Each structure stands twice: as C-alpha cells, then as structure tokens.
Amino acid sequence: QVQLVESGGGSVQAGGSLRLSCAASGYTYSRDCMGWFRQAPGKEREGVGTIDSDGTTSYADSVKGGFTISEDNAKNTLYLRMNSLKPEDTAMYYCAADRGLRCWYDTPPADFGYWGQGTQVTVSS
C-alpha cells in the first residue's frame, strides 16, 4: 500500500524559511514522478513543482528561485525547501506521486494517483 506522509509545516513570518518533508513507503520511490502541490482556502489545488525519476525538476513561476525540491532516495523522502516566504504562500501543501505521466509542475493534480494528507504552511506579514 502506497503511503505518503508530509511534515514540516508551520507558521512563519514573511521572509522566513521552512522545509517540508514527504516520507514515502509501499513502492519503489525512485522510479516515480513526485510533486508538491498547494491549496489555499477557496482556491484550486495548484502545482508547486515536480521531480522526475531522472532528477529533472520543474517549478511554477510563482515559486521559482525561492523553492527547491530535492530527494533522498535512500530514505524514500522528498523535500521542499521554501525560502523568502510570502503571505501568498499560505496554503495546505501536499505531496503526490505516480508514474508514467508527464512530470511537470503544471501536470493536473488529477493525474497523480497517490497523495499525502497535507501539511499547513501559514506565512504572516
């Protein structure tokens, strides 16, 4: 059974940093496309970025330069480092996984079959 568990969310002031983690179990993590998504209240879930099985990353324009996706295959863990956070980054953040799909930040969330429960990030001004 595939399981994704996010952690690392919290409340920070604008300009601060957080690192989210997504621990994966139940499948061969290294052969998947992994993605980070976020959803703010009243808004649709949007892609933040992805990392493909070959290490290729992609980022939404809104986070490019401030967010970095990385992974530790030995630990089956995906990370999202978020620097220079802004109030508009406030959202529930989710990790997702699947294989055999176009692995890019604008890939529709519905294309991902496996999801974590989310972790809340709140950025105050």
Side-chain angles (χ1 to χ4, degrees):
Q1 180 179 356
V2 176
Q3 188 173 19
L4 302 174
V5 180
E6 301 97 334
S7 61
S11 297
V12 297
Q13 290 192 326
S17 298
L18 283 173
R19 189 182 77 160
L20 307 183
S21 300
C22 172
S25 62
Y27 66 106
T28 307
Y29 167 88
S30 63
R31 292 192 287 119
D32 275 24
C33 168
M34 304 292 295
W36 284 100
F37 292 79
R38 65 186 182 185
Q39 187 166 18
K43 294 188 176 181
E44 293 186 352
R45 191 167 298 190
E46 63 176 1
V48 173
T50 58
I51 184 165
D52 208 342
S53 56
D54 64 358
T56 300
T57 55
S58 72
Y59 299 93
D61 290 345
S62 58
V63 306
K64 198 174 294 183
F67 289 15
T68 303
I69 294 175
S70 62
E71 59 187 356
D72 185 334
N73 288 337
K75 295 182 179 180
N76 278 6
T77 301
L78 177 74
Y79 302 100
L80 178 66
R81 176 69 180 182
M82 304 184 293
N83 294 328
S84 303
L85 283 161
K86 307 170 185 176
E88 51 264 42
D89 294 318
T90 295
M92 185 72 79
Y93 283 71
Y94 300 89
C95 68
D98 216 316
R99 59 185 62 178
L101 75 170
R102 176 179 173 272
C103 192
W104 209 245
Y105 73 88
D106 60 355
T107 297
D111 287 4
F112 286 82
Y114 304 104
W115 290 86
Q117 82 291 348
T119 185
Q120 178 68 39
V121 172
T122 303
V123 185
S124 58
S125 57

